[in-house]
């Protein structure tokens, strides 16, 4: 009986060690999204480094993170993305894309950019989009023009299609921009209205339900982007607090593409 109890106790300790190791050190996760293709494919199994304080996320790291939104607080969904901006970086959001410390973040074939086109060709435009199987993504319109979003491939196809039937101007929209600095722990909350718009979720996190805004940020924040325009990242969630970053993706240990097995994720 004593031997059985010793075995049971030893097994319980092993199980506890495995649970703690997975919870705080390393964990295997299966990628179920196309958000980071081709870096990570849906169905890939990866090892995630979750050791607290081992190393803060660095620019370029692929990480798992949870939604920081108040509406997701009870059951925050888990996402994967790449660290594009770290504390202290200056982010500029403009019509031509996202700039980190003055450098334009490289787009992908799926990155959408805004274009302005005259409104009086609305019907031929919609017909061309329909024939090319391009979604009609209208951002804005006024009395003379429309602003639509297109990927590079869609832009090429649309220019070629429309030029056959009508004269038009498809102009990249680059006239507007917004700038803010990613906060570090201890940074003072800014009073700039535009910056506070992009920092609103961070400020709400720091406020913890209090009506007044905090004087300083208690933790660092990150700007995380995926490789797909339609995926969920900082473009939809805002800045991601450090406590919402659950770990850094280290390497892929299994994939349907055998060439990817044991490849470091970058």
């Amino acid at each position: 009986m004593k031997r059985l109890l010793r075995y049971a106790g030893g097994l319980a300790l092993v199980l506890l060690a495995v649970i703690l190791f997975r919870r705080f050190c390393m964990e295997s996760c299966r990628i179920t999204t196309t958000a980071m293709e081709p870096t990570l494919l849906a169905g890939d199994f990866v090892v995630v480094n979750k050791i607290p304080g081992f190393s803060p996320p660095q620019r370029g790291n692929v990480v798992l993170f949870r939604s920081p939104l108040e509406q997701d607080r009870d059951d925050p969904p888990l996402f994967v993305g790449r660290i594009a901006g770290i504390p202290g970086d200056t982010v500029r959001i403009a019509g031509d894309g996202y700039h980190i410390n003055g450098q334009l973040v490289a787009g992908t074939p799926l990155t959408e950019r805004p274009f302005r086109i005259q409104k009086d060709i609305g019907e031929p435009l919609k017909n061309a989009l329909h024939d090319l199987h391009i979604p009609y993504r209208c951002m804005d319109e006024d009395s003379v023009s429309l602003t639509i979003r297109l990927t590079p491939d869609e832009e090429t196809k649309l220019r070629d299609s429309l030029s056959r039937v009508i004269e038009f101007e498809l102009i990249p929209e680059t006239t507007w921009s917004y700038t803010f600095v990613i906060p570090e722990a201890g940074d003072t909350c800014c009073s700039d209205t535009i910056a506070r718009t992009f920092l609103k979720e961070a400020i709400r996190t720091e406020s913890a339900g209090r009506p007044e805004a905090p004087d300083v940020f208690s933790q660092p924040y990150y700007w995380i982007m995926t490789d797909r325009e339609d995926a969920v990242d900082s473009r939809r969630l805002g800045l991601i607090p450090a406590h919402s970053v659950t770990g850094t993706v280290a390497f892929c240990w299994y994939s349907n593409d055998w060439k990817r097995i044991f490849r470091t994720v970058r």
Side-chain angles (χ1 to χ4, degrees), residues 8-69:
L11 180 60
L13 287 175
V14 170
L15 289 175
L16 178 61
V18 170
I19 292 172
L20 292 176
F21 184 82
R22 291 190 60 189
R23 175 66 178 83
F24 297 106
C25 299
M26 295 281 185
E27 183 176 5
S28 172
C29 295
R30 181 175 182 268
I31 302 299
T32 60
T33 174
T34 59
M36 287 301 295
E37 289 187 352
T39 303
L40 292 172
L41 305 180
D44 285 355
F45 286 83
V46 298
V47 171
V48 179
N49 178 7
K50 303 170 70 175
I51 301 176
F54 178 77
S55 176
Q58 302 298 313
R59 189 183 293 104
N61 286 167
V62 176
V63 297
L64 297 184
F65 63 98
R66 295 193 178 276
S67 169
L69 302 184

Side-chain angles (χ1 to χ4, degrees), residues 144-173:
V144 296
S145 63
L146 301 168
T147 302
I148 59 175
R149 299 198 323 273
L150 299 169
T151 68
D153 183 56
E154 290 170 347
E155 177 197 354
T156 300
K157 290 180 179 178
L158 185 61
R159 287 185 184 277
D160 181 62
S161 176
L162 278 180
S163 64
R164 300 174 186 174
V165 297
I166 196 170
E167 292 186 4
F168 71 98
E169 285 187 304
L170 189 61
I171 305 170
E173 181 63 82

Side-chain angles (χ1 to χ4, degrees), residues 30-216:
R30 181 175 182 268
I31 302 299
T32 60
T33 174
T34 59
M36 287 301 295
E37 289 187 352
T39 303
L40 292 172
L41 305 180
D44 285 355
F45 286 83
V46 298
V47 171
V48 179
N49 178 7
K50 303 170 70 175
I51 301 176
F54 178 77
S55 176
Q58 302 298 313
R59 189 183 293 104
N61 286 167
V62 176
V63 297
L64 297 184
F65 63 98
R66 295 193 178 276
S67 169
L69 302 184
E70 177 69 22
Q71 65 197 45
D72 297 328
R73 183 177 58 180
D74 294 334
D75 187 22
L78 187 65
F79 303 107
V80 61
R82 189 186 306 280
I83 300 288
I86 60 176
D89 284 351
T90 298
V91 179
R92 185 169 72 88
I93 302 174
D96 60 342
Y98 297 82
H99 301 250
I100 307 294
N101 298 330
Q103 298 294 316
L104 180 65
V105 177
T108 72
L110 295 172
T111 299
E112 298 170 5
R113 290 180 57 193
F115 292 86
R116 189 166 290 277
I117 191 169
Q118 61 263 40
K119 191 173 183 179
D120 58 4
I121 68 162
E123 197 62 31
L125 172 64
K126 290 182 179 180
N127 290 337
L129 292 174
H130 178 269
D131 293 341
L132 295 169
H133 305 289
I134 299 174
Y136 179 58
R137 312 182 192 96
C138 183
M139 298 172 57
D140 189 22
E141 63 177 281
D142 53 35
S143 59
V144 296
S145 63
L146 301 168
T147 302
I148 59 175
R149 299 198 323 273
L150 299 169
T151 68
D153 183 56
E154 290 170 347
E155 177 197 354
T156 300
K157 290 180 179 178
L158 185 61
R159 287 185 184 277
D160 181 62
S161 176
L162 278 180
S163 64
R164 300 174 186 174
V165 297
I166 196 170
E167 292 186 4
F168 71 98
E169 285 187 304
L170 189 61
I171 305 170
E173 181 63 82
T174 60
T175 57
W176 54 270
S177 67
Y178 308 103
T179 303
F180 60 92
V181 177
I182 301 175
E184 174 64 275
D187 283 355
T188 303
C189 286
C190 63
S191 57
D192 180 80
T193 303
I194 295 297
R196 289 179 70 90
T197 298
F198 290 96
L199 298 175
K200 64 180 181 181
E201 289 300 332
I203 293 173
R204 184 175 297 160
T205 297
E206 297 288 340
S207 299
R210 299 187 302 273
E212 68 277 4
D215 295 326
V216 297

Side-chain angles (χ1 to χ4, degrees), residues 206-241:
E206 297 288 340
S207 299
R210 299 187 302 273
E212 68 277 4
D215 295 326
V216 297
F217 291 98
S218 65
Q219 60 182 312
Y221 287 76
Y222 298 91
W223 184 263
I224 299 177
M225 296 178 68
T226 61
D227 290 345
R228 292 182 64 99
E229 187 78 18
D230 57 351
V232 178
D233 55 21
S234 286
R235 288 170 285 194
R236 289 169 172 76
L237 301 175
L239 290 166
I240 309 299

